[in-house]
Short mmCIF file of all heavy atoms in Angstrom, two decimals:
data_model
loop_
_atom_site.label_atom_id
_atom_site.label_comp_id
_atom_site.label_asym_id
_atom_site.label_seq_id
_atom_site.Cartn_x
_atom_site.Cartn_y
_atom_site.Cartn_z
N MET A 627 0.85 -1.18 0.00
CA MET A 627 0.00 0.00 0.00
C MET A 627 0.89 1.24 0.00
O MET A 627 1.67 1.47 0.92
CB MET A 627 -0.89 -0.05 1.24
CG MET A 627 -1.59 1.22 1.57
SD MET A 627 -2.76 0.95 2.89
CE MET A 627 -2.16 2.08 4.08
N ALA A 628 0.79 2.01 -1.02
CA ALA A 628 1.60 3.22 -1.16
C ALA A 628 0.95 4.37 -0.40
O ALA A 628 -0.26 4.46 -0.29
CB ALA A 628 1.74 3.59 -2.63
N LEU A 629 1.79 5.22 0.15
CA LEU A 629 1.31 6.39 0.88
C LEU A 629 1.11 7.54 -0.10
O LEU A 629 1.87 7.70 -1.06
CB LEU A 629 2.32 6.82 1.93
CG LEU A 629 2.65 5.87 3.05
CD1 LEU A 629 3.78 6.42 3.90
CD2 LEU A 629 1.43 5.59 3.90
N THR A 630 0.11 8.35 0.18
CA THR A 630 -0.03 9.58 -0.58
C THR A 630 1.06 10.55 -0.11
O THR A 630 1.68 10.34 0.95
CB THR A 630 -1.40 10.24 -0.37
OG1 THR A 630 -1.49 10.66 0.99
CG2 THR A 630 -2.54 9.28 -0.70
N THR A 631 1.27 11.58 -0.86
CA THR A 631 2.27 12.57 -0.47
C THR A 631 1.92 13.18 0.88
O THR A 631 2.79 13.35 1.75
CB THR A 631 2.39 13.67 -1.54
OG1 THR A 631 2.76 13.06 -2.77
CG2 THR A 631 3.42 14.71 -1.16
N ALA A 632 0.65 13.47 1.10
CA ALA A 632 0.23 14.06 2.37
C ALA A 632 0.45 13.08 3.53
O ALA A 632 0.91 13.48 4.60
CB ALA A 632 -1.24 14.46 2.31
N GLU A 633 0.14 11.81 3.32
CA GLU A 633 0.35 10.79 4.36
C GLU A 633 1.84 10.64 4.67
O GLU A 633 2.24 10.54 5.83
CB GLU A 633 -0.24 9.45 3.93
CG GLU A 633 -1.74 9.42 3.89
CD GLU A 633 -2.29 8.17 3.22
OE1 GLU A 633 -1.61 7.60 2.34
OE2 GLU A 633 -3.40 7.76 3.60
N TYR A 634 2.63 10.61 3.61
CA TYR A 634 4.09 10.50 3.77
C TYR A 634 4.63 11.67 4.59
O TYR A 634 5.39 11.49 5.54
CB TYR A 634 4.77 10.45 2.40
CG TYR A 634 6.26 10.65 2.49
CD1 TYR A 634 7.11 9.60 2.81
CD2 TYR A 634 6.82 11.91 2.28
CE1 TYR A 634 8.47 9.78 2.91
CE2 TYR A 634 8.19 12.11 2.39
CZ TYR A 634 9.01 11.05 2.70
OH TYR A 634 10.36 11.24 2.82
N GLU A 635 4.23 12.88 4.23
CA GLU A 635 4.71 14.07 4.92
C GLU A 635 4.28 14.07 6.39
O GLU A 635 5.06 14.41 7.27
CB GLU A 635 4.24 15.34 4.22
CG GLU A 635 4.90 15.59 2.88
CD GLU A 635 6.41 15.77 2.99
OE1 GLU A 635 6.89 16.35 3.99
OE2 GLU A 635 7.12 15.35 2.06
N ALA A 636 3.04 13.70 6.65
CA ALA A 636 2.55 13.67 8.02
C ALA A 636 3.32 12.64 8.84
O ALA A 636 3.72 12.90 9.98
CB ALA A 636 1.05 13.34 8.04
N ARG A 637 3.54 11.48 8.26
CA ARG A 637 4.28 10.42 8.98
C ARG A 637 5.72 10.84 9.20
O ARG A 637 6.29 10.63 10.28
CB ARG A 637 4.21 9.12 8.18
CG ARG A 637 4.79 7.96 8.92
CD ARG A 637 4.48 6.67 8.24
NE ARG A 637 5.06 5.56 9.01
CZ ARG A 637 5.08 4.33 8.60
NH1 ARG A 637 4.53 3.99 7.46
NH2 ARG A 637 5.64 3.39 9.32
N ARG A 638 6.33 11.46 8.20
CA ARG A 638 7.72 11.93 8.33
C ARG A 638 7.83 12.96 9.44
O ARG A 638 8.75 12.90 10.26
CB ARG A 638 8.20 12.51 7.00
CG ARG A 638 9.67 12.95 7.03
CD ARG A 638 10.08 13.67 5.75
NE ARG A 638 9.24 14.82 5.45
CZ ARG A 638 9.36 16.01 6.04
NH1 ARG A 638 10.25 16.21 6.99
NH2 ARG A 638 8.56 17.01 5.69
N ARG A 639 6.90 13.91 9.49
CA ARG A 639 6.93 14.93 10.54
C ARG A 639 6.79 14.30 11.93
O ARG A 639 7.50 14.68 12.86
CB ARG A 639 5.83 15.97 10.31
CG ARG A 639 6.16 16.97 9.23
CD ARG A 639 5.18 18.13 9.22
NE ARG A 639 3.80 17.71 9.00
CZ ARG A 639 3.23 17.51 7.81
NH1 ARG A 639 3.94 17.72 6.71
NH2 ARG A 639 1.98 17.15 7.71
N ARG A 640 5.89 13.33 12.07
CA ARG A 640 5.71 12.66 13.36
C ARG A 640 6.98 11.92 13.77
O ARG A 640 7.40 11.99 14.92
CB ARG A 640 4.53 11.68 13.31
CG ARG A 640 3.18 12.34 13.46
CD ARG A 640 2.07 11.31 13.72
NE ARG A 640 2.02 10.23 12.75
CZ ARG A 640 1.34 10.28 11.60
NH1 ARG A 640 0.65 11.36 11.28
NH2 ARG A 640 1.35 9.25 10.77
N LEU A 641 7.57 11.20 12.81
CA LEU A 641 8.80 10.46 13.13
C LEU A 641 9.95 11.40 13.47
O LEU A 641 10.73 11.12 14.39
CB LEU A 641 9.18 9.54 11.96
CG LEU A 641 8.29 8.33 11.79
CD1 LEU A 641 8.63 7.62 10.47
CD2 LEU A 641 8.43 7.37 12.96
N GLU A 642 10.06 12.51 12.76
CA GLU A 642 11.12 13.47 13.07
C GLU A 642 10.91 14.07 14.46
O GLU A 642 11.86 14.25 15.22
CB GLU A 642 11.17 14.57 12.01
CG GLU A 642 11.78 14.10 10.71
CD GLU A 642 11.76 15.16 9.62
OE1 GLU A 642 11.09 16.21 9.79
OE2 GLU A 642 12.41 14.95 8.58
N ALA A 643 9.66 14.36 14.81
CA ALA A 643 9.37 14.90 16.14
C ALA A 643 9.67 13.85 17.21
O ALA A 643 10.26 14.18 18.25
CB ALA A 643 7.91 15.35 16.22
N ASP A 644 9.29 12.61 16.96
CA ASP A 644 9.57 11.54 17.92
C ASP A 644 11.08 11.34 18.08
O ASP A 644 11.57 11.13 19.20
CB ASP A 644 8.93 10.22 17.47
CG ASP A 644 7.42 10.21 17.63
OD1 ASP A 644 6.87 11.12 18.28
OD2 ASP A 644 6.79 9.27 17.09
N ALA A 645 11.80 11.40 16.98
CA ALA A 645 13.26 11.24 17.04
C ALA A 645 13.89 12.37 17.84
O ALA A 645 14.81 12.15 18.64
CB ALA A 645 13.84 11.19 15.62
N GLU A 646 13.41 13.58 17.66
CA GLU A 646 13.95 14.72 18.41
C GLU A 646 13.64 14.59 19.89
O GLU A 646 14.50 14.84 20.74
CB GLU A 646 13.39 16.03 17.86
CG GLU A 646 13.90 17.27 18.56
CD GLU A 646 15.41 17.47 18.46
OE1 GLU A 646 16.07 16.83 17.62
OE2 GLU A 646 15.93 18.27 19.25
N ASP A 647 12.43 14.17 20.22
CA ASP A 647 12.07 13.94 21.62
C ASP A 647 12.97 12.87 22.24
O ASP A 647 13.44 13.01 23.37
CB ASP A 647 10.61 13.51 21.76
CG ASP A 647 9.64 14.64 21.46
OD1 ASP A 647 10.07 15.81 21.41
OD2 ASP A 647 8.44 14.33 21.26
N ALA A 648 13.21 11.80 21.50
CA ALA A 648 14.07 10.72 22.00
C ALA A 648 15.51 11.20 22.17
O ALA A 648 16.18 10.84 23.14
CB ALA A 648 14.01 9.53 21.04
N ARG A 649 15.99 12.03 21.25
CA ARG A 649 17.35 12.58 21.36
C ARG A 649 17.49 13.42 22.62
O ARG A 649 18.48 13.30 23.36
CB ARG A 649 17.68 13.41 20.12
CG ARG A 649 19.13 13.91 20.09
CD ARG A 649 19.34 14.99 19.04
NE ARG A 649 18.59 16.20 19.32
CZ ARG A 649 18.93 17.11 20.25
NH1 ARG A 649 20.00 16.93 20.99
NH2 ARG A 649 18.19 18.19 20.44
N LYS A 650 16.49 14.24 22.89
CA LYS A 650 16.53 15.08 24.09
C LYS A 650 16.48 14.23 25.36
O LYS A 650 17.19 14.51 26.33
CB LYS A 650 15.37 16.08 24.08
CG LYS A 650 15.55 17.17 23.05
CD LYS A 650 14.34 18.08 23.01
CE LYS A 650 14.47 19.14 21.94
NZ LYS A 650 13.26 19.99 21.86
N ALA A 651 15.64 13.20 25.35
CA ALA A 651 15.54 12.31 26.51
C ALA A 651 16.87 11.58 26.74
O ALA A 651 17.31 11.41 27.89
CB ALA A 651 14.41 11.31 26.33
N LEU A 652 17.50 11.15 25.66
CA LEU A 652 18.78 10.47 25.78
C LEU A 652 19.85 11.40 26.35
O LEU A 652 20.63 11.01 27.22
CB LEU A 652 19.21 9.93 24.42
CG LEU A 652 20.55 9.20 24.35
CD1 LEU A 652 20.58 8.00 25.29
CD2 LEU A 652 20.84 8.78 22.92
N ALA A 653 19.88 12.63 25.88
CA ALA A 653 20.85 13.60 26.39
C ALA A 653 20.62 13.85 27.88
O ALA A 653 21.58 13.91 28.66
CB ALA A 653 20.76 14.91 25.60
N ALA A 654 19.37 13.98 28.29
CA ALA A 654 19.07 14.19 29.70
C ALA A 654 19.47 12.98 30.53
O ALA A 654 20.01 13.12 31.63
CB ALA A 654 17.58 14.50 29.88
N ALA A 655 19.20 11.79 30.01
CA ALA A 655 19.56 10.57 30.74
C ALA A 655 21.07 10.44 30.87
O ALA A 655 21.58 10.05 31.92
CB ALA A 655 18.97 9.34 30.03
N ARG A 656 21.80 10.77 29.82
CA ARG A 656 23.27 10.72 29.89
C ARG A 656 23.79 11.70 30.93
O ARG A 656 24.70 11.38 31.70
CB ARG A 656 23.87 11.06 28.53
CG ARG A 656 23.85 9.94 27.55
CD ARG A 656 24.55 10.34 26.26
NE ARG A 656 24.55 9.24 25.32
CZ ARG A 656 24.45 9.39 24.01
NH1 ARG A 656 24.36 10.60 23.49
NH2 ARG A 656 24.46 8.35 23.22
N SER A 657 23.22 12.88 30.95
CA SER A 657 23.64 13.88 31.91
C SER A 657 23.37 13.40 33.34
O SER A 657 24.23 13.54 34.22
CB SER A 657 22.90 15.19 31.64
OG SER A 657 23.25 16.16 32.59
N ARG A 658 22.21 12.85 33.57
CA ARG A 658 21.86 12.35 34.91
C ARG A 658 22.77 11.19 35.29
O ARG A 658 23.23 11.10 36.43
CB ARG A 658 20.38 11.92 34.93
CG ARG A 658 19.93 11.40 36.26
CD ARG A 658 19.93 12.52 37.31
NE ARG A 658 19.49 11.98 38.59
CZ ARG A 658 20.11 12.18 39.74
NH1 ARG A 658 21.17 12.97 39.79
NH2 ARG A 658 19.67 11.65 40.84
N TYR A 659 23.04 10.28 34.35
CA TYR A 659 23.93 9.15 34.59
C TYR A 659 25.32 9.64 34.98
O TYR A 659 25.92 9.16 35.95
CB TYR A 659 23.99 8.26 33.36
CG TYR A 659 24.98 7.14 33.47
CD1 TYR A 659 24.69 6.00 34.19
CD2 TYR A 659 26.23 7.22 32.85
CE1 TYR A 659 25.59 4.95 34.30
CE2 TYR A 659 27.14 6.19 32.96
CZ TYR A 659 26.82 5.07 33.68
OH TYR A 659 27.74 4.06 33.78
N ASP A 660 25.83 10.61 34.24
CA ASP A 660 27.15 11.16 34.55
C ASP A 660 27.18 11.79 35.94
O ASP A 660 28.15 11.63 36.68
CB ASP A 660 27.56 12.20 33.50
CG ASP A 660 27.89 11.56 32.15
OD1 ASP A 660 28.07 10.33 32.09
OD2 ASP A 660 27.95 12.32 31.15
N ALA A 661 26.10 12.49 36.29
CA ALA A 661 26.03 13.11 37.62
C ALA A 661 26.02 12.05 38.72
O ALA A 661 26.71 12.18 39.73
CB ALA A 661 24.80 14.00 37.72
N ILE A 662 25.25 10.99 38.52
CA ILE A 662 25.19 9.91 39.51
C ILE A 662 26.55 9.23 39.65
O ILE A 662 27.00 8.96 40.76
CB ILE A 662 24.09 8.89 39.13
CG1 ILE A 662 22.71 9.53 39.31
CG2 ILE A 662 24.21 7.62 39.97
CD1 ILE A 662 21.58 8.71 38.73
N CYS A 663 27.20 8.98 38.53
CA CYS A 663 28.52 8.36 38.59
C CYS A 663 29.51 9.27 39.32
O CYS A 663 30.33 8.78 40.11
CB CYS A 663 29.03 8.05 37.18
SG CYS A 663 28.17 6.67 36.40
N GLY A 664 29.42 10.56 39.09
CA GLY A 664 30.29 11.50 39.80
C GLY A 664 30.03 11.48 41.30
O GLY A 664 30.97 11.52 42.11
N GLU A 665 28.77 11.39 41.68
CA GLU A 665 28.44 11.30 43.10
C GLU A 665 28.97 10.01 43.72
O GLU A 665 29.46 10.02 44.86
CB GLU A 665 26.92 11.37 43.29
CG GLU A 665 26.33 12.74 43.01
CD GLU A 665 24.82 12.77 43.19
OE1 GLU A 665 24.31 12.11 44.11
OE2 GLU A 665 24.15 13.45 42.38
N LEU A 666 28.89 8.92 42.98
CA LEU A 666 29.41 7.65 43.48
C LEU A 666 30.92 7.70 43.69
O LEU A 666 31.44 7.22 44.70
CB LEU A 666 29.07 6.50 42.52
CG LEU A 666 27.65 5.97 42.59
CD1 LEU A 666 27.37 5.04 41.42
CD2 LEU A 666 27.43 5.23 43.90
N VAL A 667 31.62 8.30 42.74
CA VAL A 667 33.08 8.43 42.85
C VAL A 667 33.43 9.27 44.08
O VAL A 667 34.31 8.91 44.87
CB VAL A 667 33.67 9.04 41.56
CG1 VAL A 667 35.12 9.47 41.77
CG2 VAL A 667 33.57 8.05 40.42
N ALA A 668 32.73 10.39 44.24
CA ALA A 668 32.99 11.26 45.39
C ALA A 668 32.70 10.54 46.70
O ALA A 668 33.45 10.65 47.67
CB ALA A 668 32.14 12.53 45.29
N LEU A 669 31.63 9.76 46.73
CA LEU A 669 31.27 9.01 47.94
C LEU A 669 32.35 7.97 48.26
O LEU A 669 32.76 7.83 49.41
CB LEU A 669 29.91 8.33 47.74
CG LEU A 669 29.38 7.52 48.91
CD1 LEU A 669 29.11 8.45 50.10
CD2 LEU A 669 28.13 6.78 48.50
N ARG A 670 32.81 7.27 47.24
CA ARG A 670 33.87 6.27 47.46
C ARG A 670 35.16 6.91 47.95
O ARG A 670 35.83 6.39 48.85
CB ARG A 670 34.11 5.48 46.18
CG ARG A 670 32.99 4.54 45.84
CD ARG A 670 33.28 3.76 44.56
NE ARG A 670 32.11 2.98 44.18
CZ ARG A 670 31.57 2.99 42.97
NH1 ARG A 670 32.11 3.71 42.00
NH2 ARG A 670 30.52 2.25 42.71
N ARG A 671 35.52 8.04 47.36
CA ARG A 671 36.73 8.75 47.79
C ARG A 671 36.61 9.19 49.24
O ARG A 671 37.56 9.06 50.02
CB ARG A 671 37.00 9.94 46.90
CG ARG A 671 37.55 9.56 45.56
CD ARG A 671 37.92 10.78 44.75
NE ARG A 671 38.40 10.36 43.43
CZ ARG A 671 38.28 11.07 42.33
NH1 ARG A 671 37.71 12.26 42.37
NH2 ARG A 671 38.74 10.62 41.20
N ALA A 672 35.46 9.72 49.59
CA ALA A 672 35.24 10.16 50.98
C ALA A 672 35.34 8.98 51.94
O ALA A 672 35.94 9.10 53.01
CB ALA A 672 33.89 10.85 51.11
N GLN A 673 34.78 7.85 51.55
CA GLN A 673 34.84 6.67 52.40
C GLN A 673 36.27 6.16 52.52
O GLN A 673 36.71 5.80 53.61
CB GLN A 673 33.94 5.56 51.83
CG GLN A 673 33.92 4.30 52.66
CD GLN A 673 33.34 4.51 54.06
OE1 GLN A 673 32.54 5.42 54.29
NE2 GLN A 673 33.76 3.69 55.00
N ASN A 674 37.00 6.16 51.43
CA ASN A 674 38.39 5.71 51.46
C ASN A 674 39.25 6.63 52.32
O ASN A 674 40.13 6.16 53.04
CB ASN A 674 38.95 5.61 50.04
CG ASN A 674 38.39 4.43 49.28
OD1 ASN A 674 37.87 3.48 49.88
ND2 ASN A 674 38.47 4.48 47.97
N GLN A 675 39.03 7.93 52.24
CA GLN A 675 39.80 8.88 53.04
C GLN A 675 39.45 8.75 54.51
O GLN A 675 40.31 8.88 55.37
CB GLN A 675 39.56 10.30 52.56
CG GLN A 675 40.21 10.56 51.21
CD GLN A 675 39.89 11.95 50.66
OE1 GLN A 675 39.07 12.67 51.22
NE2 GLN A 675 40.54 12.30 49.55
N ALA A 676 38.20 8.48 54.81
CA ALA A 676 37.78 8.32 56.20
C ALA A 676 38.34 7.04 56.79
O ALA A 676 38.64 6.98 57.98
CB ALA A 676 36.25 8.32 56.28
N GLY A 677 38.52 6.03 55.94
CA GLY A 677 39.03 4.75 56.41
C GLY A 677 40.53 4.72 56.52
O GLY A 677 41.10 3.83 57.16
N SER A 678 41.23 5.68 55.95
CA SER A 678 42.70 5.70 55.96
C SER A 678 43.26 6.25 57.25
O SER A 678 42.75 6.97 57.98
CB SER A 678 43.23 6.53 54.81
OG SER A 678 42.84 5.95 53.59
#
């Protein structure tokens, strides 16, 4: 079943919007992950210094 030009354009716009939303969510998740990892490193360092 072939898409009409209007159907194609509408679907393309939806997919592009979904892709952009996913890109933004991925960037936010990466940022949060990096922050959590930084907190873990700091916590481990503090524990190691306290134990020394």
Side-chain angles (χ1 to χ4, degrees):
M627 166 172 121
L629 297 174
T630 65
T631 301
E633 290 169 331
Y634 167 82
E635 290 299 325
R637 187 169 180 187
R638 183 186 56 79
R639 283 191 301 274
R640 280 193 307 273
L641 288 171
E642 286 176 349
D644 288 348
E646 181 62 15
D647 290 346
R649 185 193 65 76
K650 289 176 183 177
L652 179 58
R656 281 184 179 145
S657 178
R658 181 67 181 132
Y659 175 78
D660 289 346
I662 290 169
C663 288
E665 289 179 38
L666 282 169
V667 168
L669 181 64
R670 288 181 187 130
R671 284 185 183 151
Q673 181 64 26
N674 287 341
Q675 289 175 353
S678 297

